[in-house]
């Protein structure tokens, strides 16, 4: 059996995509192994959000070749768009696959592996139709690109302007996944709040309504949302979509008004908090998750403390903390008062620890409530086997291992098995 090791750098979108690619490869019979072991194929989903991200992407590719000089080393992701030439000339990289061909990766790997010597592939062909899959959760990319130009981000340059897929095309893909057994979909993209804005405007609600009618599909999860996008009208319509999970990743980046301004994010912490309250009023204690950047240029101790206090005030279920690092070509890279690495590290550690505390508080708060878990796989926890899955709020819940996977089980969240897992009775 051929072994594949995958590594994802950067944002949540990359992590989601990597998980999707991994599942496709598993279904094709590949064995997934840890990245630091010897594998036949290494796939690095690169990131290009900063110069350091570029560097780390190259490092991971080189590391892969060192681990097994005979392996096929594949680069995908944003750095392929910004550093294509560097990668094409890198002797350690065998395959360079553009974002538009990424989902076709398993087929491309199969084609290339049968050749005597691998060759570089950089394609600009339109995205191929996704292949139906059999799994619990499928990741459906509904758009690409972003028009926002946050001052720290290279994505609008790397991935271009917003391009949304057609609703019938998405619906048909979801139907294929459901026919193959999938019960939950996650709508992903670079900026899904912009879905449809490259055509006539807001199209997310029409899409959700249509997906909601698909028999056999039980859950729809949103990858992430922009605060400005969440309005009373949107929330009013969204809460009527009964398959929509009460899990909202509401992009924040900073809890300081002045830092948000320098980031070119068009909201204040107060406005952000209003959106959180809207979601909490409409849904039953939804899971609110977010990303935050610490050490943005000029971030004073006071501004950092504002973020820290704001994170506590919101009470996020999950907090992804990123240390700011420069990205050439972005306005933030030229801003004065770059924060020393040591200081960024200290700020990040403190916030990560707050994030863990809040996450645990949310799980604890949910104990005693009724929840529905969609089972996924058997895991070994504290020396015992459990069938684990996730609730709509993305709480990892454990039931007895005799339960089959890909099944919805309703019960009461009982007790913490670990800080991350709750039993369901
Ligand atoms: S919204 Fe901002 S951070 Fe997100 S992709 Fe667009 S420019 Fe980048």
């Amino acid at each position: 059996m051929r072994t594949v090791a995958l590594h994802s750098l950067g944002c949540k979108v990359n992590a989601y995509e990597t998980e999707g690619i991994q599942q496709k490869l598993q279904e094709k019979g590949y064995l997934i192994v840890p990245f630091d072991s010897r594998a036949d194929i290494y796939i690095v989903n690169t990131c290009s959000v900063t110069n350091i991200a570029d560097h780390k992407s190259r490092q991971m590719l080189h590391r892969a070749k060192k681990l097994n000089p005979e392996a096929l080393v594949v680069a995908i992701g944003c750095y392929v768009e910004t550093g294509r030439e560097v990668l094409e000339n890198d002797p350690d990289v065998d395959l360079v696959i553009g974002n538009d061909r990424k989902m076709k990766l398993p087929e491309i790997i199969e084609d290339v592996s049968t050749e005597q010597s691998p060759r570089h592939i950089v394609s600009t062909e339109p995205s191929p139709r996704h292949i139906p899959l059999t799994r619990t959760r499928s990741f459906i990319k509904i758009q690409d690109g972003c028009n926002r130009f946050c001052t720290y981000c290279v994505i609008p340059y790397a991935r271009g302007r917003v391009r949304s897929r057609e609703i019938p095309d998405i619906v048909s893909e979801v139907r294929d996944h459901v026919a193959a057994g999938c019960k939950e979909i996650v709508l992903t993209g670079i900026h899904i709040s912009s879905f449809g804005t490259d055509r006539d405007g807001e199209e997310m609600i029409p899409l959700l309504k249509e997906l909601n009618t698909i028999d056999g599909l039980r859950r729809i999860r949103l990858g992430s949302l922009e605060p400005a996008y969440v309005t009373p009208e949107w929330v009013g319509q969204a809460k009527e979509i009964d398959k929509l999970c009460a899990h909202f990743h509401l992009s924040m980046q900073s809890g300081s008004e002045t830092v948000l301004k320098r980031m070119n994010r068009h909201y204040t912490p107060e406005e952000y908090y209003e959106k959180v309250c809207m979601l909490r009023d409409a849904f039953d204690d939804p899971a609110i998750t977010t990303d935050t950047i610490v050490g943005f240029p000029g971030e004073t101790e006071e501004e950092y403390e504002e973020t820290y206090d704001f994170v506590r005030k919101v009470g996020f279920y999950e907090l992804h903390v990123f240390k700011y690092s420069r990205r050439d070509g972005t306005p933030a890279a030229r801003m004065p008062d770059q924060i020393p690495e040591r200081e960024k590290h200290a700020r990040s550690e403190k916030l990560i620890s707050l994030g863990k505390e809040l996450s645990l508080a949310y799980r604890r708060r949910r104990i005693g409530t009724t929840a529905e878990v969609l089972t996924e796989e058997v895991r070994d926890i504290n020396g015992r086997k459990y069938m684990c899955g996730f609730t709509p709020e993305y709480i990892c819940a454990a039931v007895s291992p005799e339960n089959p996977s890909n099944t919805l089980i309703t019960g009461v969240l009982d007790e913490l098995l670990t800080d991350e897992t709750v039993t369901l009775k």
Side-chain angles (χ1 to χ4, degrees):
M1 189 185 274
R2 306 233 298 148
T3 51
V4 187
L6 299 99
H7 185 81
S8 170
L9 290 126
C11 62
K12 210 168 166 229
V13 175
N14 264 18
Y16 274 147
E17 280 177 353
T18 309
E19 196 180 323
I21 292 167
Q22 177 173 319
Q23 283 170 341
K24 280 187 177 185
L25 289 166
Q26 272 171 323
E27 282 148 17
K28 282 196 166 278
Y30 290 88
L31 178 70
I32 309 298
V33 295
F35 198 85
D36 53 7
S37 56
R38 195 180 163 88
D40 298 316
I41 300 161
Y42 292 89
I43 298 167
V44 180
N45 200 351
T46 62
C47 172
S48 188
V49 74
T50 62
N51 293 347
I52 290 178
D54 288 355
H55 177 71
K56 279 192 186 156
S57 300
R58 290 193 299 272
Q59 250 181 354
M60 289 312 288
L61 291 159
H62 295 160
R63 194 162 144 215
K65 205 54 160 189
K66 263 201 196 88
L67 284 161
N68 180 9
E70 304 304 313
L72 183 72
V73 175
V74 186
I76 57 173
C78 283
Y79 187 44
V80 168
E81 307 302 318
T82 59
R84 187 172 293 208
E85 221 178 295
V86 180
L87 291 174
E88 283 187 292
N89 291 312
D90 189 326
D92 282 356
V93 183
D94 301 305
L95 263 175
V96 182
I97 300 179
N99 278 329
D100 48 1
R101 295 292 306 274
K102 199 157 43 177
M103 297 319 284
K104 193 94 176 155
L105 189 58
E107 289 80 358
I108 296 175
I109 285 179
E110 257 167 22
D111 289 351
V112 174
S113 307
T114 53
E115 292 179 6
Q116 282 306 307
S117 62
R119 64 190 156 88
H120 287 81
I121 292 183
V122 180
S123 168
T124 51
E125 283 175 34
S127 291
R129 176 131 173 74
H130 297 209
I131 353 154
L133 301 167
T134 312
R135 63 169 184 250
T136 306
R137 190 182 315 122
S138 295
F139 298 86
I140 311 290
K141 188 168 177 173
I142 62 168
Q143 65 82 235
D144 206 339
C146 178
N147 301 348
R148 287 291 167 133
F149 293 94
C150 299
T151 55
Y152 52 85
C153 182
V154 77
I155 280 176
Y157 313 99
R159 296 221 184 179
R161 314 288 284 182
V162 171
R163 293 165 324 272
S164 309
R165 286 177 64 193
E166 299 287 341
I167 291 182
D169 185 37
I170 299 169
V171 171
S172 146
E173 185 191 344
V174 173
R175 283 189 194 283
D176 287 345
H177 284 267
V178 172
C182 162
K183 292 192 170 64
E184 175 179 318
I185 53 158
V186 185
L187 300 182
T188 70
I190 290 295
H191 195 255
I192 65 168
S193 300
S194 296
F195 179 68
T197 54
D198 50 331
R199 293 189 288 257
D200 295 335
E202 151 65 25
E203 287 186 24
M204 173 93 80
I205 292 289
L207 171 65
L208 292 175
K209 281 185 176 163
E210 193 134 358
L211 294 174
N212 204 46
T213 64
I214 297 178
D215 282 344
L217 177 66
R218 304 296 292 269
R219 289 180 181 177
I220 306 166
R221 198 180 292 280
L222 297 176
S224 68
L225 285 176
E226 270 298 307
Y229 180 72
V230 178
T231 60
E233 296 70 41
W234 188 85
V235 173
Q237 297 192 72
K239 73 176 185 190
E240 301 304 325
I241 294 161
D242 57 1
K243 293 177 185 172
L244 186 63
C245 292
H247 172 202
F248 302 99
H249 188 85
L250 200 58
S251 188
M252 180 188 79
Q253 313 307 352
S254 173
S256 156
E257 186 171 349
T258 38
V259 172
L260 284 170
K261 206 168 239 158
R262 296 205 294 282
M263 287 176 163
N264 195 30
R265 306 279 303 172
H266 298 274
Y267 50 86
T268 64
E270 283 67 28
E271 284 160 352
Y272 184 98
Y273 193 67
E274 274 172 29
K275 310 300 169 113
V276 172
C277 294
M278 276 179 208
L279 291 166
R280 287 189 171 146
D281 285 347
F283 295 85
D284 175 24
D285 199 3
I288 310 284
T289 61
T290 203
D291 293 323
T292 184
I293 298 172
V294 292
F296 188 76
E299 185 188 64
T300 62
E301 189 60 37
E302 292 71 39
E303 287 171 329
Y304 168 73
E305 289 300 331
E306 284 166 17
T307 295
Y308 187 88
D309 293 344
F310 188 68
V311 165
R312 191 180 279 289
K313 175 177 165 182
V314 174
F316 290 103
Y317 168 44
E318 262 181 15
L319 182 69
H320 302 266
V321 182
F322 296 92
K323 284 182 279 179
Y324 170 78
S325 75
R326 272 180 140 135
R327 172 70 227 170
D328 282 348
T330 60
R334 298 187 296 274
M335 286 181 184
D337 304 322
Q338 299 282 330
I339 307 297
E341 203 50 47
R342 217 181 41 216
E343 183 57 33
K344 282 192 264 188
H345 182 73
R347 291 180 187 183
S348 151
E349 291 296 298
K350 198 173 149 201
L351 211 49
I352 287 172
S353 143
L354 174 62
K356 283 187 183 153
E357 178 193 323
L358 297 174
S359 194
L360 186 57
Y362 181 74
R363 283 189 200 92
R364 285 215 165 102
R365 189 162 81 226
R366 301 297 294 180
I367 285 176
T369 63
T370 300
E372 178 199 63
V373 59
L374 177 55
T375 57
E376 288 188 12
E377 58 179 10
V378 172
R379 292 187 193 168
D380 213 312
I381 303 173
N382 302 336
R384 279 186 60 188
K385 296 216 177 305
Y386 294 90
M387 171 58 78
C388 294
F390 288 88
T391 70
E393 298 80 16
Y394 217 65
I395 292 174
C396 182
V399 292
S400 81
E402 297 79 51
N403 287 291
S405 66
N406 202 18
T407 307
L408 287 154
I409 299 172
T410 302
V412 173
L413 290 171
D414 191 38
E415 58 179 0
L416 282 167
L417 200 53
T418 67
D419 279 0
E420 276 92 37
T421 311
V422 185
T423 54
L424 188 91
K425 245 189 16 192

